[in-house]
Amino acid sequence: MPLRNGQHGYGAATKLLHWLTVGAITGQFLVGYSVRGELDDHGGRAVALDHGHGGSGSDDDGGEGFEQLFSGGFGLPELHVVLGLSILALGVLRVLWRYVGSLPPWAPSLSNTERTLEGLLEKALLALLFLIPISGLLLVGTGEDDYLPLHVAAHVAFFVALGLHLALVLKHTVIHRDRHLARML
């Protein structure tokens, strides 16, 4: 399998970046919702910042955010931050790879409308690879909930874009049986 994209379809590097991103995002949401459940069981988001020692998320020295998050060991909240940073790094790699490489031709079975939709979804999903982790890092870094509406809205936008992307792939894979999914495997 060629490394780069071409007339043959997606290359190994694009496929690897795609599936690493899928894995990191899946892990991130599983950890994120587990952290949220853990925090809700212990009285709110402050637990992530002070590891269950009570309080408002700040210590007597006024420290909060990342410094306090990583001061008590490595658990789910810290893994959530590390995964967010990994997703940002994958986003950068994907944008750079797309800049230095080219995209393969569209799948011939896609209509013009579907090509437009898929192009818009791809751009939205790439943008959300940055927006979700950055808004999450701002939440942790500031220790404030000012960025929570943006973080939640970005999650909603992500699930809408992902749902439309998966629907288009499944339509062509299951209904039209045109090996659309096989292009990325």
Side-chain angles (χ1 to χ4, degrees), residues 43-139:
R45 194 172 68 80
V47 176
L49 299 176
D50 67 10
H51 295 282
H53 301 294
S56 64
S58 62
D59 60 19
D60 294 335
D61 298 328
E64 57 185 51
F66 293 112
E67 181 180 312
Q68 193 171 6
L69 177 67
F70 287 100
S71 68
F74 195 88
L76 287 179
E78 292 81 9
L79 179 58
H80 192 62
V81 170
V82 169
L83 283 169
L85 292 170
S86 298
I87 291 167
L88 278 174
L90 284 165
V92 168
L93 286 173
R94 289 182 69 140
V95 169
L96 289 174
W97 182 247
R98 186 165 176 174
Y99 179 74
V100 300
S102 62
L103 290 174
W106 287 106
S109 60
L110 291 176
S111 70
N112 286 338
T113 302
E114 290 171 330
R115 291 175 183 188
T116 300
L117 175 62
E118 192 63 44
L120 291 171
L121 291 172
E122 185 177 286
K123 288 173 181 70
L125 289 167
L126 275 173
L128 291 162
L129 285 181
F130 293 93
L131 183 58
I132 293 172
I134 288 170
S135 62
L137 291 169
L138 288 168
L139 277 168

Side-chain angles (χ1 to χ4, degrees), residues 26-39:
T26 301
Q28 179 68 319
F29 279 113
L30 290 173
V31 169
Y33 289 119
S34 296
V35 167
R36 181 163 185 210
E38 180 180 290
L39 300 180

Side-chain angles (χ1 to χ4, degrees), residues 171-183:
K171 173 187 174 198
H172 280 273
T173 302
V174 175
I175 297 171
H176 295 294
R177 298 188 184 276
D178 59 14
R179 300 183 35 83
H180 194 77
L181 178 61
R183 290 170 47 96

